[in-house]
Amino acid sequence: MTERETTRLVAWSQELRRVHRRLREALSVTRASLADGTPGEAATRELLLYCHGFCTALDGHHQGEDRTLFPAIAAAHPELRPVLRSLEQDHSMIAHLIGSLRTAVDRAAPPEELDQHLEGIAAIMENHFRYEERQLLTVLETLELAAVPREVLGPI
């Protein structure tokens, strides 16, 4: 195996950490935008932008994992299939929470309600990310997957 191949193999674990970090940052910015309390139409537009961007990024990340990354892991490490099923269940739960947040944003719910949605997403997301990293980072350091990181881990 060449140095470049080794670097590419290890990069999947680094890519996952990077995407998780950026999603955490996007959630933080979204929550800060809500907490800012800027009155009027500008605040609503800003919140819509942040919520839409964050929700799209998180949803895209999980779809990419379900579509490409998890099948590759299952093929190389069948013993991890129960872990992958659990992570996919988390993805489904998070998608439901994102849908509820989008509905609340679309109907201009009060800031307190929006923050409750974001808090729920944050709690599940953080627990999910930690579990995923504990279970998969070592595997990702040796996973052979010829794919574009953005397509596998989402658009963030």
Side-chain angles (χ1 to χ4, degrees):
M1 181 173 305
T2 68
E3 182 179 343
R4 180 171 164 22
E5 288 171 327
T6 303
T7 301
R8 183 63 232 144
L9 293 175
V10 174
W12 283 111
S13 64
Q14 294 169 0
E15 290 288 338
L16 184 68
R17 282 189 186 124
R18 183 186 62 78
V19 168
H20 284 178
R21 183 179 64 250
R22 294 200 57 205
L23 285 166
R24 286 175 175 117
E25 290 167 1
L27 178 61
S28 178
V29 167
T30 302
R31 292 189 83 182
S33 171
L34 181 63
D36 181 32
T38 306
E41 191 177 311
T44 302
R45 275 195 315 270
E46 186 174 301
L47 181 60
L48 283 169
L49 174 68
Y50 286 132
C51 282
H52 177 71
F54 167 71
C55 291
T56 300
L58 184 58
D59 193 47
H61 170 64
H62 289 157
Q63 286 180 26
E65 285 182 334
D66 291 347
R67 181 181 54 249
T68 306
L69 184 64
F70 290 176
I73 293 171
H77 298 276
E79 74 280 5
L80 289 175
R81 286 190 175 129
V83 169
L84 299 172
R85 274 193 299 276
S86 177
L87 291 169
E88 288 168 342
Q89 288 173 343
D90 286 354
H91 291 174
S92 178
M93 183 185 328
I94 291 169
H96 176 74
L97 294 173
I98 287 172
S100 296
L101 172 62
R102 284 181 171 143
T103 299
V105 169
D106 289 346
R107 67 176 168 73
E112 301 81 29
E113 182 181 337
L114 295 174
D115 190 55
Q116 287 175 345
H117 286 283
L118 290 169
E119 186 175 335
I121 291 169
I124 300 294
M125 185 183 87
E126 188 58 37
N127 189 44
H128 171 79
F129 285 175
R130 288 181 182 178
Y131 178 71
E132 186 172 60
E133 290 172 4
R134 275 193 320 270
Q135 297 297 318
L136 301 183
L137 284 180
T138 301
V139 167
L140 290 177
E141 290 176 0
T142 60
L143 183 69
E144 294 189 39
L145 178 60
V148 177
R150 180 180 171 91
E151 292 173 9
V152 174
L153 297 176
I156 191 163

